[in-house]
Amino acid sequence: MRLLGRGNHGEVWLAHDRALKRWVAIKSGLALEHEARDYPRCSAVVVLHDRLDDGRLVFEYCAWPTLAAALTRHWSATQCEQACLSAWRGLASLLASGWAHGDLAPDNLLVSPRGAIRFIDLGSRVRLGQPARHTRRDYSAPEVQAGGAVTEAAEVYAMAAVLMRLVRRTAGTTRLRRQLNRCLDPSPRARPSLVQLTRPLARPSPGARAARLSLLIVGLVTAATLSHVPAPADEFERLNQDAAATRLPGAPVRLVPVPTTR
């Protein structure tokens, strides 16, 4: 066997199941009985195969690195957005089973090269509405650290704190940062719900962008007229080009006459 890692509740070893001809992860340590009891069955959680006579747990082996280890690699904005969406959907799937992870942290998430997320180390999980078995200063929600119950809003806060570690290292993720900042609001009621978070981030349509450009053009013309100072000709040229590029199929483009300087 080969040591894969150590966590809050024990060690995990890589082993080969000769009978079933597959690699497995064997966990030894504390709180194994609690972890094995009513173990969640959802796609976002590594599968628990068996419990050995000596109490050790046999899990599915997933070769992905933890998010903590993957933070050092290069992430594109698209990969980062996919990882966040996968994490939110996985969390929604877990909470739908009635359980909260209870110990969300970068070392308890596995991440694929494409950004898919799976959860490990559920030894601290609790039923929704119960106090936490374990807290982390950097990730647990303020109300949980104060002794309050673990709720959906509390798990949203913890996941956002974890994902912010990734988003801050990735360029072009301004929209994700805004979303995560809302999730980190001190007030649980102000945080977005998982229903909102499990939808892909909305991108402006070509029609909406063209409408905004038209309003900007009108504003420039109005400002130039009121101040009797002609707007720069190159600015009008650029806006006309942008409006033409973003027009909807079949829609006419109304170009703004380029003013001439006297």
Side-chain angles (χ1 to χ4, degrees), residues 104-120:
L104 290 172
D107 49 350
N108 286 337
L109 300 180
L110 300 179
V111 57
S112 77
R114 295 189 176 183
I117 295 287
R118 298 188 74 186
F119 300 153
I120 60 173

Side-chain angles (χ1 to χ4, degrees), residues 7-259:
N8 291 326
H9 304 287
E11 298 177 338
V12 180
W13 296 79
L14 177 65
H16 190 260
D17 186 332
R18 295 180 180 178
L20 298 178
K21 298 180 180 179
R22 65 186 178 189
W23 291 99
V24 295
I26 297 181
K27 184 174 183 179
S28 61
L30 304 173
L32 297 184
E33 184 177 353
H34 169 76
E35 186 166 1
R37 187 186 303 119
D38 297 328
Y39 191 82
R41 299 290 180 181
C42 64
S43 59
V45 176
V46 292
V47 177
L48 174 61
H49 289 314
D50 197 6
R51 185 180 182 187
L52 303 179
D53 292 339
D54 59 6
R56 291 179 298 168
L57 304 181
V58 182
F59 289 94
E60 160 198 13
Y61 172 59
C62 182
W64 301 349
T66 65
L67 181 59
L71 287 174
T72 57
R73 80 184 192 205
H74 172 74
W75 287 77
S76 68
T78 300
Q79 289 173 322
C80 189
E81 186 171 328
Q82 174 58 38
C84 291
L85 185 58
S86 177
W88 293 127
R89 289 175 173 173
L91 183 60
S93 176
L94 177 60
L95 296 188
S97 71
W99 289 103
H101 187 283
D103 189 23
L104 290 172
D107 49 350
N108 286 337
L109 300 180
L110 300 179
V111 57
S112 77
R114 295 189 176 183
I117 295 287
R118 298 188 74 186
F119 300 153
I120 60 173
D121 199 359
L122 275 73
S124 294
R125 77 181 189 278
V126 295
R127 290 291 184 182
L128 285 170
Q130 294 181 345
R133 294 168 58 91
H134 172 77
T135 61
R136 299 204 188 203
R137 183 181 62 181
D138 293 337
Y139 303 111
S140 299
E143 65 272 18
V144 172
Q145 295 190 48
V150 179
T151 62
E152 176 184 315
E155 290 287 87
V156 163
Y157 181 102
M159 182 63 82
V162 172
L163 295 176
M164 189 64 87
R165 291 279 306 279
L166 170 62
V167 171
R168 283 175 177 165
R169 300 172 63 93
T170 308
T173 56
T174 302
R175 291 181 305 140
L176 279 176
R177 295 188 192 193
R178 292 197 195 104
Q179 181 191 69
L180 295 181
N181 281 329
R182 292 196 299 272
C183 296
L184 295 172
D185 194 290
S187 172
R189 293 185 177 182
R191 298 168 199 159
S193 69
L194 281 171
V195 172
Q196 297 170 302
L197 294 168
T198 50
R199 298 169 183 161
L201 287 173
R203 289 181 169 81
S205 66
R209 185 164 180 259
R212 288 200 299 270
L213 283 171
S214 297
L215 290 174
L216 180 58
I217 291 172
V218 171
L220 282 171
V221 173
T222 303
T225 302
L226 294 176
S227 62
H228 304 290
V229 177
D234 57 349
E235 182 69 10
F236 281 92
E237 291 283 8
R238 183 185 65 79
L239 291 171
N240 281 333
Q241 292 173 2
D242 285 351
T246 58
R247 73 182 182 88
L248 296 175
V253 177
R254 179 176 296 177
L255 298 180
V256 176
V258 178

